[in-house]
Amino acid sequence: MRHRYSILFFPLHIIVDFLSLNVGFVGAYWIKFADIQSVTHFPYESLWIAFNLVWLVEIIVFKPYIYPRQLFKLDHLLRKLALLVGVHMAVIAIFWVAVKGFYYSREHLLIAYVLFVGLAALFRLSSLLFLREYRTRGYNNRRYAIVGYGKLATTIRSFYDAHPEMGFHFCGYFDDHTDENQSLLTGSYAELQYHIKQNEIDCVYCCMPYVNNDQLRVIVESAESANYQVKLLIDFRGFLAKGTSVEYHDFLPVLNVSSQMLLDFRVNVLKRAFDMAFSTVALGCGAPLLLLMAAITKTTSKGPILYAQERIGRDGKPFTIYKFRSMYTDAEIAGPLLSAGAKDNRITPWGRFMRQTRLDELPQFYNVLKGDMSVVGPRPERQFFIDQIVEIAPEYKNLLKVKPGITSIGQVEFGYAASIDEMVERLRYDLLYPERRSFIYDMWIIMLTVRVMVQGRGK
């Protein structure tokens, strides 16, 4: 059987990661408590089970061990590991809150994740080095042929020749014979299927437009019975520099050439799923806190509990944002004004505490569930202030390409702005977000926000 050992990589990867996860958990327990036996007793046995169940669900959902050889690189492997660990930490944090696990040691969790990431990263590095050397020596190779001789064909061969660690072995060019390519071809189109069977070719690269539809149909229809893959090569390099995207008109793929890339679909889907899950947990588990804050807001000053105001969201669409009221009801009787921070006498004493701890923003999880906002994203502003900001900093319009958020890097690093100049200054932080937007970046901002809330450093 071809590549009989390749099938072992997948279960081996799973087994080693589970071993690393459990060694990290138990090892951290021993480092923290100098004991091993009690890790199987209450309360840590439930946390240990949660550790493994969450990782199992991640494997089923994200399928992290399925990737082509071209992506078997250290940076790609570590990015995937970081994503998985980030999701794992977030779910364990939610589990901690749900079970009210005040008896768990944060130091133990930190050590457990450090050990796990270290062991998992070491395994990935070792696997990468082993496979590179193994494939460079001629083992575990994939045999490939190229159909349609031309510049694109020589480019793909040069790529694999320059990267022997990927384990691709060239088995010839196939095309119609001409005076120019006669000495370079292994065979014609008619001879292709014979060579595929004789050389046990795994992959056939078809270079467009040198292969016509009838020839391509024969190659594709024979692929299943002869057990090889068919891959199309189309030279888009001249277009990719300008930015491209693929649209599907029914089953027909259409290359869209434009000056702006479409937002990454996978990031958007993952971000929306996380927003809904996080907001549901926050509103559900935080309901007693929300009711307590509502009661305190109502009894400490006259006026409504919630403050509703129109803000501008993604693509310039207005929406109504909700917050716990932190100012007196006549705060903006003279017109729209920015908060002057701690010295602003329009803020109630209770409102000042809520602003310092960011607790006044909690009702915005409802905005997240509605889809108006995200958990992480640039803070939304009123059109009145946006018009003034754009006059000074037109690049503010870039923030309208993404959903506004409850918290942002600008809100964490700078805080509330007391003037248009300060809003422009905060802008230099928020402009980083549309370009760096990722799940890991969002988790990092959330952790910084929690630190600000606990320390009461909001301003």
Side-chain angles (χ1 to χ4, degrees):
M1 184 175 63
R2 263 190 267 177
H3 319 301
R4 59 187 180 277
Y5 299 120
S6 296
I7 197 172
L8 299 177
F9 292 158
F10 179 75
L12 178 63
H13 210 155
I14 294 177
I15 292 170
V16 171
D17 273 356
F18 267 108
L19 284 175
S20 300
L21 182 73
N22 287 279
V23 168
F25 188 91
V26 177
Y29 192 88
W30 180 80
I31 293 172
K32 173 62 180 175
F33 301 109
D35 179 41
I36 291 293
Q37 293 182 345
S38 58
V39 72
T40 60
H41 303 153
F42 180 84
Y44 275 88
E45 88 284 3
S46 58
L47 182 60
W48 194 0
I49 293 172
F51 253 63
N52 285 274
L53 288 178
V54 172
W55 190 257
L56 177 62
V57 171
E58 284 190 81
I59 292 174
I60 296 172
V61 173
F62 294 108
K63 299 179 174 61
Y65 308 124
I66 300 175
Y67 36 70
R69 292 186 175 211
Q70 292 84 347
L71 292 179
F72 195 71
K73 300 177 181 178
L74 186 60
D75 60 338
H76 179 77
L77 296 176
L78 293 182
R79 279 200 300 269
K80 272 202 168 184
L81 176 62
L83 173 63
L84 291 172
V85 173
V87 174
H88 194 275
M89 293 174 67
V91 177
I92 290 298
I94 294 172
F95 169 80
W96 191 334
V97 173
V99 301
K100 299 179 181 178
F102 55 87
Y103 33 72
Y104 294 136
S105 166
R106 286 175 291 181
E107 186 179 351
H108 165 259
L109 283 178
L110 176 61
I111 298 173
Y113 279 116
V114 170
L115 290 176
F116 170 49
V117 171
L119 291 171
L122 180 62
F123 169 71
R124 283 157 174 77
L125 177 59
S126 301
S127 300
L128 183 66
L129 294 176
F130 170 76
L131 283 176
R132 282 187 174 183
E133 181 63 23
Y134 191 62
R135 289 168 178 169
T136 301
R137 292 175 179 269
Y139 302 103
N140 190 236
N141 280 328
R142 294 288 188 271
R143 297 171 176 267
Y144 73 99
I146 302 176
V147 180
Y149 182 79
K151 186 176 180 180
L152 196 57
T154 58
T155 300
I156 188 65
R157 181 183 177 182
S158 297
F159 171 78
Y160 285 129
D161 286 347
H163 297 280
E165 73 277 1
M166 290 185 181
F168 280 81
H169 178 71
F170 178 63
C171 292
Y173 297 115
F174 294 83
D175 202 340
D176 289 329
H177 290 282
T178 65
D179 293 338
E180 296 179 357
N181 65 24
Q182 183 72 33
S183 62
L184 299 171
L185 299 182
T186 303
S188 64
Y189 286 113
E191 298 170 298
L192 174 63
Q193 293 302 323
Y194 172 78
H195 280 276
I196 289 176
K197 293 177 181 178
Q198 287 296 110
N199 296 282
E200 295 187 329
I201 291 175
D202 301 288
C203 183
V204 175
Y205 284 94
C206 298
C207 299
M208 311 300 289
Y210 306 110
V211 183
N212 63 44
N213 288 340
D214 292 334
Q215 294 165 336
L216 182 60
R217 186 180 301 109
V218 172
I219 295 171
V220 172
E221 288 177 351
S222 304
E224 185 173 353
S225 60
N227 191 27
Y228 63 85
Q229 292 180 319
V230 180
K231 297 186 179 182
L232 300 184
L233 284 175
I234 305 175
D235 196 352
F236 289 142
R237 288 172 295 182
F239 301 105
L240 291 176
K242 302 175 184 178
T244 61
S245 61
V246 178
E247 299 173 351
Y248 284 89
H249 297 186
D250 198 1
F251 63 88
L252 183 66
V254 178
L255 184 67
N256 176 35
V257 182
S258 63
S259 59
Q260 179 181 351
M261 291 287 286
L262 292 179
L263 292 175
D264 181 69
F265 178 76
R266 186 177 178 182
V267 171
N268 287 336
V269 170
L270 181 61
K271 185 176 177 65
R272 181 57 184 157
F274 173 77
D275 284 343
M276 294 183 67
F278 194 90
S279 299
T280 301
V281 172
L283 291 174
C285 297
L289 175 62
L290 292 170
L291 292 174
L292 177 62
M293 292 182 62
I296 297 176
T297 303
K298 186 65 177 177
T299 56
T300 53
S301 62
K302 295 181 179 179
I305 296 172
L306 296 178
Y307 174 69
Q309 188 181 73
E310 183 181 274
R311 297 286 177 95
I312 302 301
R314 183 176 176 180
D315 298 325
K317 295 179 181 179
F319 71 96
T320 301
I321 194 174
Y322 298 96
K323 303 171 65 174
F324 281 119
R325 181 177 54 82
S326 59
M327 291 186 174
Y328 295 105
T329 53
D330 59 351
E332 292 191 326
I333 194 171
L337 292 173
L338 290 168
S339 171
K343 299 179 181 179
D344 196 331
N345 56 16
R346 298 175 301 159
I347 302 175
T348 67
W350 168 243
R352 185 166 287 107
F353 170 77
M354 287 196 296
R355 282 173 169 249
Q356 289 174 341
T357 55
R358 296 283 195 266
L359 293 175
D360 60 321
E361 313 283 3
L362 291 181
Q364 288 162 39
F365 282 113
Y366 171 70
N367 288 112
V368 175
L369 287 178
K370 286 179 61 182
D372 296 327
M373 296 176 65
S374 180
V375 175
V376 178
R379 289 295 296 166
E381 297 293 347
R382 286 175 276 183
Q383 189 66 57
F384 177 80
F385 295 116
I386 291 177
D387 293 339
Q388 297 178 64
I389 297 171
V390 171
E391 289 183 6
I392 302 172
E395 59 270 24
Y396 179 87
K397 294 180 180 178
N398 291 330
L399 298 187
L400 300 180
K401 297 177 182 178
V402 297
K403 281 186 181 181
I406 297 177
T407 185
S408 70
I409 188 62
Q411 195 75 347
V412 170
E413 298 293 344
F414 190 89
Y416 294 106
S419 66
I420 297 298
D421 289 337
E422 288 191 359
M423 294 178 84
V424 172
E425 187 177 349
R426 186 177 64 186
L427 179 62
R428 65 189 176 92
Y429 293 102
D430 284 331
L431 283 173
L432 298 173
Y433 186 75
E435 299 299 326
R436 298 184 181 180
R437 188 167 57 118
S438 68
F439 184 78
I440 299 299
Y441 193 46
D442 282 3
M443 294 302 301
W444 179 66
I445 293 174
I446 289 173
M447 287 189 288
L448 292 179
T449 304
V450 172
R451 186 179 67 180
V452 168
M453 295 175 66
V454 172
Q455 294 176 349
R457 294 192 294 106
K459 61 174 183 174

